[in-house]
């Protein structure tokens, strides 16, 4: 695809003006080879992909941003639209192509591409079409960037993260799904709104499937370092379990509500993915509830399964999974959630 990039050959006959514009200093050494150049590739230039790309640019997370999509005209239009904002953004080289070769040497590849559901189509058939799509996406990414970290955002994210792991041949720590990172943000917002506090002071996780079988970890919620449920019990303040369940149902229904109102979700997942990119590429070692290989953890067995657990993220990808306390009920719900995903995977033949 034709690219629009800055060039210094603007003078008569293609004269390189950079040599005339800047005078070299004496006894200068070439740039240090140890200086890190960060490259992020976003696969899929739809609403979600572009929200992620825009957030990455405004947060100055990459030196080079690559967009890949199957629609060349839309892709070039999106690239130009972002490039035209260069005067208002941190300096980032932006490229776009239908050819995966442009992703070579990426530190992080974020996959947002996915097939749209046809009216009347079964969920399984849609999933099978997405798996077929991923067979054309993941192997080229792995080939051109063998040391990259894959961040899968496409839905159903848990199964497609498992599919990406299988297709890439990567170690499990370098294949991550966005999982319930956004669900947990919605959860924290609702709790903060309920208690009239800042959401950043609320620690709360949704784990398991990014979907209807997700699990709210009520036993580990804290506000300003104070465990909420144990505090209420010590103070003998009554609360109804149904109230807690209703908040969880609001979390599950949040995406459906946004989609019914505006047709799609984009901004929140854009911030969520950029949040994960920052923790990974800047080696921040923060804890995020993301889709990881969960087999053997918290009593999960029955096969290889990816689902969301609180995990520490850094330059190596998943550095470890938090040994968070689960009540007996939460543990059982998590295992049930794993079985739900395994049942879907069994129908794919991968």
């Amino acid at each position: 695809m034709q690219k629009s990039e800055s060039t210094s050959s603007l003078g008569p006959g293609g004269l390189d003006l950079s040599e005339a514009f800047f005078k070299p200093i004496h006894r200068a050494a070439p740039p240090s080879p140890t200086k890190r150049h960060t490259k992020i590739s976003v696969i899929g230039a739809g609403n979600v992909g572009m929200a992620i790309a825009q957030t990455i640019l405004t947060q100055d997370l990459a030196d080079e941003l690559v967009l890949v999509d199957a629609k060349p005209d839309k892709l070039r239009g999106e690239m130009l639209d972002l490039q035209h904002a260069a005067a208002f953004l941190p300096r980032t080289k932006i490229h776009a192509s239908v050819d995966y070769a442009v992703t070579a040497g990426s530190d992080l590849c974020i996959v947002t591409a996915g097939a749209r559901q046809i009216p009347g189509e079964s969920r399984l058939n849609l999933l099978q079409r997405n798996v077929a799509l991923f067979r054309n996406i993941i192997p080229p990414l792995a080939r051109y960037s063998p040391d990259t970290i894959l961040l899968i955002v496409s839905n159903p994210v848990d199964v497609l993260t498992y599919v990406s792991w299988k297709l890439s041949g990567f170690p499990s720590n370098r294949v991550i799904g966005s999982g319930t990172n956004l669900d947990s943000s919605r959860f924290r917002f609702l709790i903060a709104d309920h208690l009239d506090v800042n959401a950043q002071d609320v620690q709360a996780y949704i784990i398991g499937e990014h979907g209807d079988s997700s699990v709210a970890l009520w036993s580990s919620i804290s506000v300003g370092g104070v465990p909420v449920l144990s505090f209420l019990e010590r103070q003998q303040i009554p609360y109804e379990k149904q109230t807690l369940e209703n908040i969880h149902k609001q979390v599950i229904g949040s995406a459906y509500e946004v989609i019914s109102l505006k047709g799609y979700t984009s901004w929140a997942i854009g911030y969520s993915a950029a949040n994960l990119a920052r923790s990974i590429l800047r080696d921040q070692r923060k804890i995020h509830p993301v889709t990881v290989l969960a087999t053997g953890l918290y009593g999960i067995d029955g096969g290889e399964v990816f689902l969301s657990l609180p995990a520490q993220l850094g330059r190596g990808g998943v550095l470890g999974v938090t040994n968070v306390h689960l009540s007996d009920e939460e543990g059982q719900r998590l295992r049930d959630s794993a079985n739900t995903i395994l049942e879907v995977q069994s129908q794919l033949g991968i």
Side-chain angles (χ1 to χ4, degrees):
M1 158 174 275
Q2 183 185 0
K3 295 183 289 185
S4 174
E5 298 179 20
S6 61
T7 175
S8 57
S9 300
L10 298 176
L15 175 67
D16 189 345
L17 290 183
S18 64
E19 293 184 5
F21 200 76
F22 296 103
K23 298 290 187 183
I25 62 172
H26 296 294
R27 299 185 181 181
S32 169
T34 60
K35 185 178 183 299
R36 181 132 197 127
H37 176 89
T38 303
K39 180 174 181 178
I40 300 177
S41 292
V42 177
I43 316 305
N47 294 316
V48 171
M50 294 314 301
I52 292 172
Q54 188 264 353
T55 311
I56 285 170
L57 286 174
T58 57
Q59 295 189 4
D60 195 14
L61 298 181
D63 301 295
E64 186 175 357
L65 177 66
V66 171
L67 305 175
V68 177
D69 197 275
K71 299 177 180 178
D73 289 344
K74 182 181 189 304
L75 187 58
R76 178 166 171 76
E78 295 286 10
M79 177 191 71
L80 290 172
D81 208 4
L82 290 177
Q83 288 177 334
H84 295 166
F88 316 118
L89 294 169
R91 185 173 185 266
T92 304
K93 290 186 177 179
I94 304 171
H95 309 279
S97 179
V98 296
D99 187 348
Y100 283 86
V102 75
T103 66
S106 294
D107 298 280
L108 179 67
C109 292
I110 305 174
V111 182
T112 73
R116 290 182 177 271
Q117 190 164 13
I118 301 168
E121 182 180 31
S122 70
R123 188 180 178 188
L124 178 60
N125 192 66
L126 173 64
L127 177 56
Q128 288 172 331
R129 289 201 294 123
N130 273 318
V131 170
L133 182 65
F134 269 49
R135 290 186 189 277
N136 295 321
I137 293 174
I138 302 302
L141 292 178
R143 182 168 69 254
Y144 286 114
S145 301
D147 298 317
T148 195
I149 292 170
L150 294 175
L151 175 58
I152 310 303
V153 179
S154 311
N155 280 317
V157 68
D158 304 298
V159 176
L160 290 179
T161 303
Y162 166 79
V163 168
S164 300
W165 177 53
K166 288 294 187 181
L167 293 175
S168 67
F170 282 2
S172 60
N173 61 297
R174 289 202 284 119
V175 184
I176 306 165
S178 57
T180 57
N181 194 54
L182 176 52
D183 304 69
S184 297
S185 174
R186 291 167 174 151
F187 193 35
R188 292 168 66 189
F189 161 73
L190 290 170
I191 294 169
D193 193 50
H194 200 74
L195 299 176
D196 196 22
V197 298
N198 191 313
Q200 293 186 355
D201 291 326
V202 177
Q203 184 169 27
Y205 294 121
I206 298 288
I207 62 171
E209 179 196 21
H210 172 58
D212 294 347
S213 73
S214 65
V215 181
L217 295 188
W218 291 104
S219 63
S220 61
I221 293 175
S222 65
V223 176
V226 179
V228 171
L229 294 193
S230 59
F231 171 79
L232 294 176
E233 289 167 358
R234 283 198 309 273
Q235 298 296 318
Q236 297 183 338
I237 300 173
Y239 64 90
E240 292 185 3
K241 190 174 181 181
Q242 188 58 46
T243 302
L244 308 184
E245 292 294 337
N246 289 340
I247 292 176
H248 184 207
K249 286 178 181 177
Q250 280 184 269
V251 172
I252 294 173
S254 293
Y256 298 120
E257 182 180 10
V258 173
I259 291 169
S260 70
L261 292 170
K262 62 176 271 191
Y264 55 89
T265 62
S266 57
W267 298 119
I269 187 60
Y271 281 104
S272 175
N275 178 241
L276 298 176
R278 176 185 295 274
S279 289
I280 292 167
L281 296 175
R282 295 191 175 169
D283 199 31
Q284 292 198 333
R285 296 173 177 259
K286 289 180 66 177
I287 309 298
H288 296 271
V290 289
T291 307
V292 298
L293 180 61
T295 306
L297 301 173
Y298 298 105
I300 296 171
D301 55 22
E304 294 169 328
V305 63
F306 278 71
L307 50 71
S308 284
L309 295 171
Q312 186 184 47
L313 302 183
R315 261 289 177 179
V318 179
L319 306 180
V321 172
T322 307
N323 190 20
V324 66
H325 170 74
L326 303 184
S327 68
D328 291 342
E329 182 182 0
E330 289 166 347
Q332 187 56 55
R333 286 189 175 188
L334 179 62
R335 290 185 287 275
D336 290 343
S337 187
N339 290 334
T340 298
I341 299 169
L342 282 166
E343 186 176 343
V344 174
Q345 283 181 193
S346 66
Q347 303 176 67
L348 296 178
I350 292 181

